[in-house]
Amino acid sequence: MPNKQDIAIIRDLATRVAEIAALPVQEEKRALWRQLNALKPSRPMVMIDQVCWNEMNINDELTLRCEDPECRGYEDFLRRTLYQWRHFPVDMVVEPFIRVPKAITNTGFGIAVHEDTIPTDPQNDVVAHRYENQFKKMDDLQKVQMPQISHDPAETERRLAVAHELFDGLLEVRAWGADPYLSLWDPIATWMGVENVLYTLMDQPDLMHGLVGRMTEGYLGMLDQLESQGLLCGPQSLIHCTGAYTDELPAPGYDPARPRTKDMWMFGLAQMFAAVSPRMFKEYEVDYASRICERFGLVYYGCCDPLDKKMAQVRMIPNVRKVSMSPWVDQERGAAEIGRDYVFSRKPNPALLAWDTFDAEAVRADLTATRDICARHGCPLELIQKDISTVRYQPQRLFEWAEIAMEVVEG
């Protein structure tokens, strides 16, 4: 169990988080997210995620002081929550509870990634990758194993006991099940390398259909196991960096002890398919991902992949509610395609935070252009600043971006 000093550190931080979580503004923000996710927004919403935390530690606000590794994990989460609330809260919601991951084991597909990496900043976990191609012939498909799910109740109870000692009387402790991330093509990119995948799609289509087909069956079997064992998570606060609050989930008949996929959000993406045609996108992504997405209540689709030219295919995916509009889309075309049918989930270009000098007016112009385009087409809009690899060790750039973004959406 944690030592007294670690407990004191955690409880001090948790006290501050609990005070923030109790503010009326938290429920106000939840209500705004529900309105957006119902496609009836009061205003555009703003989120910031995937921050270069290694560049953020001003005044030792993020310096960890606990000794126990488990406590340090909680401490890191609490300090980052307080830091973000203090410096760039935008439309984040601070929850009055702590999620404690259940001790779930997933054997995965049985494929280890073979790669070389090159860092640009030793303090940053964003690195360059070169992957070895492990799928060159049909026989290689036998490498793909079907995931097996198991649960260690004793370890889950141990984790909960630690959390109760740390947080009781301050923050609710919630045992948290699996919140699955089921991309088909991101893992394949790490097993083959993107360039090899794209060539193989053309040269050996049967091999690629075999690979993505086996993965789809593996994911569906994994979901069956998570459901049958009661190991899925409860109602989500976030889905892929955006607010997940909605009155439409969980579905009727929800049992908190045995959540189902239809009670949850899922997100899908095929980022390397930026380079393929709409027809190939449908054949290798939509036809397979749809089998997964049809099981879920709502779906967020896309990430860095530009989807402005592929909305006809995205519309074929069941239960989509939000569609990513990456920095590489034609926003006018994307907004015309989305209309009022989905949330236009804009990813502003994080490069504006990384130039030699920070240009606040360029940020304002960028965000204002998105707001005005979506207003013309009636698109429900969210601005999701993410993939922030660097702010040149000037955290105030991100603070200023947040202030500008809120002025744009509230103006």
Side-chain angles (χ1 to χ4, degrees):
M1 299 300 283
N3 62 49
K4 290 183 179 180
Q5 181 178 347
D6 284 1
I7 293 172
I9 292 169
I10 295 296
R11 290 188 67 81
D12 174 65
L13 295 170
T15 297
R16 287 186 264 163
V17 169
E19 290 170 352
I20 295 167
L23 296 174
V25 69
Q26 307 302 343
E27 187 51 43
E28 294 169 11
K29 290 295 177 72
R30 292 187 192 96
L32 289 171
W33 282 112
R34 290 188 189 100
Q35 291 165 14
L36 175 71
N37 292 335
L39 306 179
K40 298 176 182 178
S42 293
R43 62 164 173 82
M45 300 297 284
V46 184
M47 283 291 283
I48 296 174
D49 205 345
Q50 297 178 341
V51 174
C52 49
W53 288 107
N54 62 298
E55 298 186 13
M56 291 286 132
N57 193 10
I58 56 177
N59 301 321
D60 274 341
E61 292 178 44
L62 296 170
T63 300
L64 301 183
R65 295 175 171 82
C66 288
E67 297 177 359
D68 176 74
E70 199 165 8
C71 288
R72 287 173 70 85
Y74 287 123
E75 182 188 7
D76 192 41
F77 168 75
L78 295 168
R79 289 193 184 280
R80 289 184 180 186
T81 299
L82 292 167
Y83 185 99
Q84 184 163 355
W85 182 258
R86 185 179 300 115
H87 297 297
F88 50 95
V90 289
D91 285 319
M92 73 182 290
V93 174
V94 178
E95 299 285 21
F97 55 82
I98 288 289
R99 298 178 180 89
V100 179
K102 294 182 178 180
I104 300 169
T105 299
N106 182 350
T107 62
F109 290 104
I111 303 167
V113 174
H114 300 162
E115 63 173 332
D116 299 319
T117 62
I118 301 175
T120 55
D121 178 348
Q123 304 302 315
N124 195 326
D125 58 6
V126 176
V127 299
H129 304 259
R130 181 176 62 191
Y131 298 106
E132 178 186 330
N133 185 2
Q134 301 182 63
F135 289 88
K136 299 178 180 178
K137 56 188 185 301
M138 293 298 290
D139 288 349
D140 289 333
L141 296 178
Q142 301 308 311
K143 298 175 182 177
V144 182
Q145 307 300 309
M146 294 295 103
Q148 299 298 313
I149 301 295
S150 59
H151 178 223
D152 183 346
E155 172 59 15
T156 293
E157 288 304 314
R158 187 204 66 77
R159 295 178 186 180
L160 288 170
V162 171
H164 280 297
E165 181 168 2
L166 294 172
F167 298 108
D168 274 0
L170 300 173
L171 296 170
E172 177 193 347
V173 172
R174 292 188 181 181
W176 198 249
D179 190 350
Y181 160 54
L182 305 182
S183 167
L184 294 165
W185 292 98
D186 276 7
I188 290 174
T190 69
W191 301 341
M192 298 180 65
V194 171
E195 186 172 307
N196 293 321
V197 170
L198 295 175
Y199 278 120
T200 308
L201 286 169
M202 295 184 290
D203 297 338
Q204 296 173 271
D206 289 345
L207 174 59
M208 298 312 297
H209 276 299
L211 179 53
V212 72
R214 286 179 70 88
M215 287 187 67
T216 302
E217 293 300 330
Y219 280 146
L220 293 172
M222 184 187 76
L223 293 174
D224 289 340
Q225 295 172 67
L226 289 168
E227 277 192 333
S228 65
Q229 297 180 52
L231 294 176
L232 288 169
C233 70
Q236 298 134 305
S237 300
L238 294 173
I239 177 67
H240 194 56
C241 306
T242 87
Y245 304 96
T246 173
D247 293 325
E248 297 172 52
L249 300 176
Y254 173 66
D255 177 1
R258 303 191 78 80
R260 306 155 299 183
T261 50
K262 66 181 179 180
D263 298 316
M264 304 171 58
W265 285 84
M266 172 48 55
F267 71 95
L269 65 165
Q271 297 183 102
M272 78 171 86
F273 276 27
V276 309
S277 68
R279 182 192 64 78
M280 190 173 282
F281 172 61
K282 178 186 180 300
E283 179 180 350
Y284 287 96
E285 164 65 4
V286 172
D287 289 352
Y288 292 99
S290 292
R291 296 179 59 198
I292 297 168
C293 292
E294 68 184 4
R295 296 185 56 159
F296 287 85
L298 292 170
V299 172
Y300 180 111
Y301 192 80
C303 191
C304 293
D305 29 339
L307 296 170
D308 54 315
K309 296 181 181 179
K310 294 173 179 168
M311 280 303 302
Q313 291 71 36
V314 171
R315 287 178 176 273
M316 300 175 186
I317 301 172
N319 303 319
V320 171
R321 181 58 54 88
K322 302 189 181 193
V323 180
S324 177
M325 287 285 117
S326 79
W328 297 278
V329 302
D330 179 322
Q331 293 191 83
E332 196 76 47
R333 177 168 49 216
E337 290 287 337
I338 283 175
R340 302 179 186 275
D341 296 339
Y342 309 99
V343 175
F344 185 108
S345 185
R346 174 61 173 172
K347 310 293 176 53
N349 196 334
L352 290 174
L353 294 163
W355 299 129
D356 290 342
T357 57
F358 179 70
D359 187 340
E361 289 312 305
V363 167
R364 188 179 301 276
D366 176 58
L367 300 178
T368 301
T370 300
R371 182 199 65 191
D372 293 348
I373 288 169
C374 287
R376 284 199 299 274
H377 293 277
C379 300
L381 170 64
E382 61 184 19
L383 300 169
I384 313 297
Q385 182 62 274
K386 59 188 290 290
D387 300 307
I388 306 167
S389 299
T390 183
V391 292
R392 296 294 187 93
Y393 286 87
Q394 297 175 32
Q396 63 273 16
R397 292 185 178 195
L398 190 55
F399 309 165
E400 189 170 353
W401 187 97
E403 292 177 2
I404 294 168
M406 294 309 294
E407 290 169 3
V408 168
V409 300
E410 292 176 339

Coordinates of all heavy atoms in Angstrom, one line a residue, residues 82 249-250 349:
L82 N -5.2 19.5 -13.4 CA -5.2 20.8 -12.8 C -4.5 21.8 -13.7 O -4.9 23.0 -13.8 CB -4.5 20.7 -11.4 CG -5.2 19.9 -10.3 CD1 -4.3 19.6 -9.2 CD2 -6.5 20.7 -9.9
L249 N -27.2 7.5 -25.4 CA -26.5 6.4 -24.8 C -26.5 6.5 -23.3 O -26.4 7.6 -22.8 CB -25.1 6.3 -25.4 CG -24.9 6.1 -26.9 CD1 -23.5 6.1 -27.2 CD2 -25.6 4.8 -27.4
P250 N -26.5 5.4 -22.6 CA -26.6 4.0 -23.0 C -28.0 3.7 -23.6 O -28.9 4.4 -23.4 CB -26.3 3.2 -21.8 CG -26.7 4.0 -20.6 CD -26.4 5.4 -21.1
N349 N -4.6 22.8 -37.8 CA -3.2 22.4 -38.0 C -2.3 22.7 -36.8 O -2.1 23.9 -36.5 CB -2.7 23.0 -39.3 CG -1.4 22.3 -39.8 OD1 -0.7 21.7 -39.0 ND2 -1.2 22.5 -41.0

